[in-house]
């Protein structure tokens, strides 16, 4: 069984995180599969809308930390960055169904979605500082823009989780639903979009994204350089070592 399920029906490509035993933590191989699927969606006439979803109990625990240590994404060609550029540049609509925890990239990928629906059990977090890292996916730009600076600082500097109602209030999610209904509801919304004239959908998305598109890609590149460097530095090594050893990290000397 693959860790990313890909299904195309009625013009909707659905990508499902399918690694429940690891809380849908994402490996480099999984990023590669998703990057390839997004590249296919961009050009395949059978795809008019893309959906990313998890399970009703967990969206994603973010980067797989063990895999991260084995395959550190230190170059712009790394699968994770290929995936992130892919969703930032995708011309077709991208929807997400989020239930349960959405950690790290599980939250930051949502800033590149056009519509996001959440279960009332959704818990969003961007604990990059707690891991000795810095934001990715242009979240250092997009989170302050959407949340306002002080709420962004709470989310990105303290790395504390925030929940479905707060995400609704700041505009990160469109609607909160019972967790068992989120995936089905997103399929309904995706099919609505799939039935609309594609040329008009594409042009409307392009116009809404506007001049911001290049700024987002530029910010991703700046973040990638910092992220790659910080991944090898003592703080991240301590944070990841502590996670693997199931102990609290000790940053007192870093
Ligand atoms: N990378 C690798 N393994 C992970 C993981 C990750 N990001 N997240 C969870 N796992 C593993 C756990 O180590 C555990 O493994 P074990 O069964 O061998 O002990 C298993 O998945 C189940 O996780 P657990 O923590 O017991 O589940 P939970 O329901 O109590 O909590 C989370 C779920 C997502 C809140 C919690 O696992 C978590 O915070 N994970 C780390 C998230 C993180 O820091 N991600 C990196 C972002 S850059």
């Amino acid at each position: 069984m693959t860790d990313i399920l890909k299904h195309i029906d009625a013009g909707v490509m659905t990508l499902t995180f399918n690694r429940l035993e690891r809380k849908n933590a994402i490996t480099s191989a999984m990023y590669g599969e998703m990057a390839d699927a997004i590249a296919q969606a961009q050009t395949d006439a059978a795809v008019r809308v893309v959906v990313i979803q998890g399970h009703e109990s967990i969206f994603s625990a973010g980067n797989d930390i063990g895999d991260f240590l084995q395959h550190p994404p230190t170059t712009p060609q790394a699968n994770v960055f290929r995936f992130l550029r892919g969703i930032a540049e995708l011309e077709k609509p991208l929807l997400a169904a989020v239930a349960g925890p959405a950690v790290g990239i599980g939250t930051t990928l949502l800033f590149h979605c056009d519509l996001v629906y959440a279960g009332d059990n959704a818990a969003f977090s961007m604990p990059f500082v707690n891991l000795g890292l810095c934001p990715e996916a242009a979240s250092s730009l997009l989170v302050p823009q959407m949340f306002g600076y002080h709420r962004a600082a709470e989310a990105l500097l303290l790395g504390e989780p925030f929940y479905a109602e707060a995400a609704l209030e700041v505009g990160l999610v469109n609607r909160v639903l019972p967790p068992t209904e989120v995936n089905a509801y997103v399929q309904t919304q995706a099919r609505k979009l799939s039935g609309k004239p594609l040329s008009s959908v594409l042009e409307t998305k392009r116009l809404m994204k506007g001049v911001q598109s290049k700024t987002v890609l530029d910010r991703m590149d700046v973040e990638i350089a910092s992220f790659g460097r910080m991944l090898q530095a003592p703080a991240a090594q301590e944070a990841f070592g502590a996670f693997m050893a199931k102990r609290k990290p000790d940053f007192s000397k870093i």
Side-chain angles (χ1 to χ4, degrees):
M1 181 77 82
T2 163
D3 293 334
I4 298 290
L5 303 178
K6 184 177 82 176
H7 179 73
I8 301 175
D9 184 41
V12 180
M13 173 188 275
T14 303
L15 301 175
T16 307
F17 295 121
N18 183 43
R19 197 174 175 234
L20 270 182
E21 72 288 359
R22 289 275 148 208
K23 302 289 169 180
N24 290 339
I26 312 169
T27 61
S28 172
M30 291 163 73
Y31 284 122
E33 283 180 54
M34 291 198 294
D36 292 346
I38 297 292
Q40 177 194 346
Q42 179 82 341
T43 55
D44 187 343
V47 179
R48 298 163 71 89
V49 179
V50 180
V51 170
I52 299 180
Q53 65 182 19
H55 182 261
E56 64 194 43
S57 65
I58 175 92
F59 183 62
S60 171
N63 288 304
D64 183 298
I65 291 177
D67 187 72
F68 229 44
L69 287 170
Q70 281 180 329
H71 308 109
T74 50
T75 67
Q77 294 74 36
N79 283 338
V80 56
F81 301 132
R82 228 162 41 81
F83 165 68
L84 288 175
R85 273 195 301 273
I87 57 173
E89 293 185 295
L90 183 65
E91 291 166 6
K92 295 173 183 173
L94 179 62
L95 280 62
V98 185
V103 185
I105 199 167
T107 290
T108 59
L109 74 82
L110 304 175
F111 290 87
H112 302 280
C113 293
D114 301 291
L115 298 169
V116 179
Y117 296 94
D120 58 23
N121 61 346
F124 306 87
S125 59
M126 296 176 280
F128 302 113
V129 167
N130 304 344
L131 292 167
L133 295 170
C134 68
E136 32 76 321
S139 55
S140 62
L141 172 77
L142 299 172
V143 179
Q145 270 183 2
M146 185 181 281
F147 290 19
Y149 184 81
H150 288 112
R151 281 200 273 202
E154 206 163 44
L156 284 170
L157 290 176
L158 285 174
E160 285 176 356
F162 54 97
Y163 301 95
E165 287 304 327
L168 185 66
E169 194 199 324
V170 292
L172 177 61
V173 308
N174 291 86
R175 186 170 169 181
V176 178
L177 298 141
T180 51
E181 293 174 19
V182 182
N183 287 3
Y185 186 78
V186 170
Q187 287 297 322
T188 306
Q189 298 298 78
R191 276 157 201 254
K192 267 192 220 165
L193 269 174
S194 174
K196 295 188 188 293
L198 183 62
S199 56
S200 188
V201 168
L202 297 186
E203 190 61 11
T204 302
K205 175 167 175 171
R206 194 182 70 77
L207 289 166
M208 283 200 295
K209 294 279 180 182
V211 290
Q212 168 96 332
S213 304
K214 181 167 181 328
T215 313
V216 166
L217 291 172
D218 288 348
R219 178 61 63 96
M220 271 190 195
D221 285 345
V222 173
E223 290 173 347
I224 287 169
S226 298
F227 196 91
R229 178 174 42 78
M230 295 183 82
L231 206 47
Q232 319 275 13
Q237 295 298 314
E238 167 59 14
F240 291 150
F243 180 84
M244 300 306 282
K246 299 188 188 295
R247 63 169 171 81
K248 270 190 182 306
D250 175 6
F251 298 120
S252 59
K253 295 189 182 60
I254 298 169

